[in-house]
Amino acid sequence: MSARTPRAFLGPAAVSVAAMLWATDGFWRNTLIQTMPSGAIVVWEHVILVIATGWLLVRERRHIAALRPAEWLSVFLIGAGASGLATVLFTQAFSYATPTTVVLLHMTQPIFAISLASLMLPEPLPPRFWPLLPVALGGAYLIAFPDVSPFLSLGAGDRPLGVALALGAAVLWAAGTVLGRRMLAHVPYSTLTALRFASALPALLVIAALTGWGTPGPAELPPLLATALVSGLLGLLLYYWGLRDTPAAVATLCELWFPVTAIVVGALFLNTLPAPNQVIGIALLWIALALMRHRPVPATPETVGAALAPTPT
């Protein structure tokens, strides 16, 4: 085993584990949604997260002050866009389209992320990436739709607004992956995590003011803390730690472990066993990611090249 093999494995593995932690979020959120508006839940989560990570912003204040306007725009798009608005759009899409359609459109996120990465981050891909991409997406398809083709229900009960909202969420999440990779060339992964939480909070306060407010009581505090600190803080720290050495196009495929974990959680806690097609999908996804032979690509100004070069004056 070469010296680079552990490093090549650890980056995608950390991103995959982060996606698994995000999938546990629903276990806690289902309890909170019974007594609090969704906008208020997300705001209080971010209040906890800003309290937990605010000291990092103080410690790195000189480094943060040196960020250029274009980098601050990336921070804003990651926080307000990928953390805040994307979640609201995805949730609202269920009001205008069938769940099958919303999930299907969510599966377009890797396509957007790979396209954006090719434009903004000229970083090398694993040599087997393109041949194995259809295998990974096919596995994700079987995981999400084990029994019936989503195209049979596409259009039944769907409205154009629902489709637009779901696609908008997919684009914002894809942009968050690419911009996060880009920002890791300038700030440590822990600082980027803190910046993401802090920049999302003002936008989320506006959303909560428009959609409804609520204050957590003693019963809501345990699941709220679990959601914020486990799937939120720990998940994003692992995600950005792994993203330092993982090309954005590979990371977005690792994020497809989200539905895998949702299946496992359902089997363990809800007695909903995975269908045979889902087992096949999990195997295909794992095999595709394992065979890509990812090479670590550190997120530095050199690796992102022209996308980060200053504009000539």
Side-chain angles (χ1 to χ4, degrees):
M1 180 179 294
S2 65
R4 70 167 53 178
T5 301
R7 184 178 173 190
F9 169 79
L10 288 177
V15 175
S16 300
V17 172
M20 294 176 184
L21 288 175
W22 297 335
T24 66
D25 181 76
F27 181 78
W28 309 105
R29 198 174 298 276
N30 285 338
T31 301
L32 294 168
I33 202 68
Q34 305 299 321
T35 56
M36 294 179 64
S38 57
I41 294 171
V42 180
V43 166
W44 283 108
E45 288 174 10
H46 278 73
V47 168
I48 294 171
L49 291 166
V50 169
I51 292 174
T53 61
W55 65 276
L56 290 169
L57 301 180
V58 176
R59 187 188 69 179
E60 301 290 338
R61 59 188 181 276
R62 293 183 180 177
H63 196 71
I64 294 172
L67 294 177
R68 298 173 295 179
E71 290 147 12
W72 277 113
L73 177 60
S74 294
V75 170
F76 173 79
L77 292 175
I78 291 170
S83 275
L85 183 57
T87 304
V88 175
L89 292 179
F90 186 72
T91 303
Q92 193 64 27
F94 286 93
S95 300
Y96 300 98
T98 62
T100 299
T101 297
V102 175
V103 174
L104 171 63
L105 294 173
H106 172 63
M107 303 293 286
T108 63
Q109 179 181 338
I111 298 173
F112 291 122
I114 293 168
S115 301
L116 289 172
S118 67
L119 295 174
M120 301 176 62
L121 303 173
E123 52 192 17
L125 293 174
R128 300 176 182 176
F129 179 84
W130 292 111
L132 290 171
L133 175 61
V135 178
L137 294 179
Y141 173 93
L142 291 175
I143 294 167
F145 309 106
D147 300 319
V148 64
S149 169
F151 296 103
L152 296 179
S153 62
L154 189 62
D158 296 329
R159 292 165 59 182
L161 180 57
V163 173
L165 291 173
L167 284 174
V171 171
L172 287 171
W173 278 326
T177 296
V178 176
L179 292 172
R181 170 77 173 164
R182 180 173 177 169
M183 283 301 302
L184 286 169
H186 299 278
V187 295
Y189 73 96
S190 56
T191 306
L192 180 57
T193 302
L195 281 170
R196 174 168 176 156
F197 296 144
S199 61
L201 186 56
L204 289 170
L205 286 170
V206 174
I207 293 172
L210 297 175
T211 60
W213 183 253
T215 303
E220 287 80 26
L221 283 178
L224 190 61
L225 287 169
T227 300
L229 299 179
V230 178
S231 62
L233 180 57
L234 180 58
L236 271 178
L237 283 173
L238 275 172
Y239 177 73
Y240 285 133
W241 184 87
L243 195 60
R244 296 179 305 169
D245 290 327
T246 307
V250 175
T252 192
L253 294 178
C254 295
E255 293 174 37
L256 293 176
W257 282 103
F258 183 101
V260 173
T261 306
I263 292 173
V264 174
V265 171
L268 292 177
F269 299 103
L270 302 177
N271 295 321
T272 56
L273 296 177
N277 283 354
Q278 290 178 313
V279 176
I280 295 173
I282 292 171
L284 288 175
L285 180 59
W286 185 87
I287 290 171
L289 293 176
L291 292 180
M292 280 184 183
R293 298 181 64 183
H294 157 69
R295 293 174 297 169
V297 182
T300 64
E302 290 74 20
T303 59
V304 297
L308 291 176
T311 303
T313 54

